[in-house]
Amino acid sequence: MDSEQKDQALYYARELRKTKKVSNHTPIIAYVLGSEIQPEAIEPINEGPIKITPLRYNTILSKAHARTFNLIKKIEQMKNISYDNEMDEIFTSLDQPNLFNNG
């Protein structure tokens, strides 16, 4: 990714603002992704409430994976989840007679 691609994101943000669909004070945050970032494109652009941030693909994927993995671990620990037991409960409740029968 180079500075031209960052500039394009800034242009889009400005055009969005011109449509008057968002107020002048509404933050617009854009991430420009690439497999590599050229040295001239490393710094984010801040223009009032508009922020353009360059990121490498592997950085955002690593962050997403870490968040998802940690969230799953926390849920499993907090709830002591056993997927087999939950499925058994669901199927047992479905086998009950007259579950949805009003008569």
Side-chain angles (χ1 to χ4, degrees):
M1 168 210 334
D2 57 27
S3 58
E4 184 177 317
Q5 291 161 321
K6 275 187 2 183
D7 292 342
Q8 182 179 16
L10 181 59
Y11 170 77
Y12 289 150
R14 288 175 180 160
E15 289 297 309
L16 179 62
R17 182 112 33 235
K18 282 182 191 178
T19 67
K20 305 288 187 199
K21 302 283 185 189
V22 294
S23 77
N24 287 335
H25 303 291
T26 301
I28 297 175
I29 301 170
Y31 296 94
V32 182
L33 304 177
S35 56
E36 295 181 11
I37 301 174
Q38 300 299 317
E40 72 274 6
I42 290 174
E43 293 298 318
I45 296 173
N46 292 301
E47 183 179 283
I50 298 172
K51 183 172 183 176
I52 311 297
T53 304
L55 283 175
R56 292 182 61 191
Y57 291 123
N58 65 346
T59 301
I60 201 158
L61 290 175
S62 295
K63 286 181 180 184
H65 174 70
R67 287 180 180 172
T68 303
F69 179 76
N70 289 333
L71 179 61
I72 290 170
K73 284 293 195 191
K74 285 180 184 178
I75 291 171
E76 288 174 347
Q77 290 170 354
M78 289 175 55
K79 298 292 184 177
N80 195 17
I81 293 176
S82 171
Y83 296 107
D84 292 334
N85 290 341
E86 287 182 357
M87 295 306 286
D88 289 341
E89 287 179 33
I90 291 169
F91 288 121
T92 301
S93 67
L94 292 177
D95 290 337
Q96 295 177 3
N98 300 325
L99 186 60
F100 297 106
N101 189 358
N102 291 333

